[in-house]
Amino acid sequence: EFYYNLTHCTDYAALVIDTCDVGIDVEGIHKDGRKLAERFFAEEEKKALLEDFSDEAFTRLWTRKESYLKATGVGMRMPLDAFCVLEEKVLRKETMPLEMVSEKDNYYIKSFCLKENAELQNIWLSVCRKNRKITNIDIEFITRSDLKTVFK
């Protein structure tokens, strides 16, 4: 049995395949996500992010949150302040609705900053998987011309 998850933004698409529940998110740099962070993030995340705010740091946290929501299968029904994604292992908050994610399950996240060349903005990619740390991951870039060849 295998599990997969897809994501895309502007010129990028990503797919993750695993033998357990998994989620992935890829995003270009969000401009001024400060208000979103102040309103929706967990207190620990707000504190870490707002001390020295940057669009890059916000985007990294945002992709981590989205990859977790996708791995759990809950999606945006779960409040964004019900969990914290600052560390490799996702921390559940007291406010997390128990019916949404089993207490026995743990989720682990890894993030990567992708940059094809100096002219492009940074792209953040985060992967989340259930009950196992992410130790190895292969990232392969496929260009639009590669896809055009495949889908003639």
Side-chain angles (χ1 to χ4, degrees):
E1 192 168 13
F2 69 94
Y3 300 80
Y4 68 94
N5 193 242
L6 300 164
T7 185
H8 68 88
C9 76
T10 59
D11 291 335
Y12 293 87
L15 164 71
V16 63
I17 302 171
D18 206 331
T19 55
C20 59
D21 290 333
V22 67
I24 190 168
D25 189 46
V26 64
E27 301 280 344
I29 301 300
H30 286 273
K31 297 298 179 194
D32 196 22
R34 180 185 302 267
K35 287 187 174 123
L36 282 173
E38 288 171 348
R39 183 168 178 198
F40 295 110
F41 282 14
E43 288 303 317
E44 301 91 328
E45 294 165 336
K46 287 184 215 182
K47 185 174 188 255
L49 187 61
L50 298 176
E51 281 178 2
D52 187 23
F53 185 85
S54 74
D55 293 330
E56 183 115 2
F58 170 81
T59 303
R60 177 179 176 272
L61 275 181
W62 185 262
T63 63
R64 292 173 72 82
K65 284 194 164 291
E66 278 208 36
S67 70
Y68 173 71
L69 293 172
K70 292 170 86 175
T72 62
V74 174
M76 294 301 279
R77 291 178 296 143
M78 183 183 302
L80 294 176
D81 63 354
F83 59 98
C84 178
V85 295
L86 289 174
E87 305 294 330
E88 177 183 27
K89 183 178 175 183
V90 176
L91 173 67
R92 297 162 205 239
K93 309 299 290 175
E94 310 78 49
T95 58
M96 180 179 283
L98 294 177
E99 70 278 1
M100 289 194 166
V101 179
S102 170
E103 286 188 53
K104 66 181 173 146
D105 293 327
N106 293 303
Y107 288 84
Y108 298 89
I109 300 177
K110 267 234 198 280
S111 298
F112 306 89
C113 184
L114 311 174
K115 198 172 195 178
E116 283 187 8
N117 59 51
E119 293 84 48
L120 292 177
Q121 69 172 356
N122 289 346
I123 301 292
W124 277 97
L125 176 122
S126 292
V127 177
C128 182
R129 90 183 325 182
K130 181 179 176 180
N131 292 332
R132 289 198 326 246
K133 290 185 178 183
I134 300 167
T135 53
N136 290 338
I137 192 164
D138 292 323
I139 298 174
E140 184 177 334
F141 287 97
I142 300 173
T143 66
R144 283 181 184 222
S145 59
D146 294 335
L147 288 174
K148 287 179 183 175
T149 304
V150 172
F151 296 107
K152 282 187 175 181

